[in-house]
Amino acid sequence: MMGMGSVDMRELVKFQENLNRLAGSEDTRNSFCESCAKELAARLLTKVIKRTPVGKVGGTLRRGWTAGNKEGVQAAVDSIQVTKSGNQYTIKIMNPTEYASFVEFGHRTANHNGWVKGQFMMTISENEIKRMAPGLLEKRLEEFLGGTFND
């Protein structure tokens, strides 16, 4: 009969303690999810602001994305409210400028005889974020769980 060998249970106990700490800390998980949502929002705002035309009014539409926050995108994102509904975290990003939807989706000309094509600055930016989000979130999750599995 072969020898059973020896097992060092300390590493297994340490791993179990790390898992319990992670599972029991809802505040930590919520703050992680909120920070991920805010990071995606910051990236979206950066993209949509770059795509927004300056126009004849002098950048009113472009500045509208940060709601007049002079500190920039990150300050605007930090001030945004994250809402949680079930397992879903939501951030609303909008431009309060009254003509923003007309620039986004297009509109009729002043004489109603033609059509001005939309710029789709939000739509295009949102689609880019949707494509890159899984990779970014996977990387953030690996960093978050790294302390649990790599201690």
Side-chain angles (χ1 to χ4, degrees):
M1 185 175 214
M2 296 179 70
M4 294 296 289
S6 64
V7 176
D8 185 3
M9 296 296 286
R10 288 179 291 189
E11 289 297 318
L12 187 57
V13 169
K14 186 177 178 182
F15 179 68
Q16 182 181 11
E17 289 171 356
N18 288 342
L19 283 177
N20 289 340
R21 186 180 71 235
L22 182 65
S25 179
E26 187 172 342
D27 289 341
T28 303
R29 289 191 313 267
N30 283 338
S31 65
F32 167 74
C33 291
E34 285 182 17
S35 71
C36 286
K38 286 187 176 193
E39 181 176 353
L40 289 173
R43 289 172 181 260
L44 176 62
L45 270 174
T46 300
K47 288 179 176 291
V48 76
I49 288 170
K50 285 180 183 176
R51 280 197 174 85
T52 302
V54 175
K56 295 178 183 176
V57 184
T60 303
L61 183 62
R62 188 176 277 190
R63 283 190 309 273
W65 290 112
T66 57
N69 194 331
K70 293 181 180 172
E71 286 80 35
V73 172
Q74 191 58 48
V77 169
D78 290 340
S79 67
I80 291 175
Q81 179 69 31
V82 179
T83 56
K84 181 183 177 193
S85 177
N87 290 330
Q88 188 171 16
Y89 292 81
T90 306
I91 291 181
K92 290 184 182 178
I93 296 179
M94 56 187 217
N95 191 325
T97 309
E98 62 187 49
Y99 56 89
S101 64
F102 300 116
V103 177
E104 174 75 10
F105 300 112
H107 59 89
R108 291 195 303 186
T109 57
N111 63 10
H112 300 287
N113 290 332
W115 182 261
V116 177
K117 290 183 178 181
Q119 298 292 313
F120 300 102
M121 58 263 180
M122 177 62 117
T123 305
I124 293 168
S125 299
E126 183 181 0
N127 288 336
E128 284 181 2
I129 293 296
K130 283 181 181 177
R131 282 192 300 275
M132 59 93 53
L136 180 105
L137 293 175
E138 182 178 343
K139 181 179 176 187
R140 296 293 173 256
L141 187 59
E142 285 176 7
E143 291 170 2
F144 180 67
L145 295 177
T148 302
F149 296 108
N150 295 330
D151 268 352

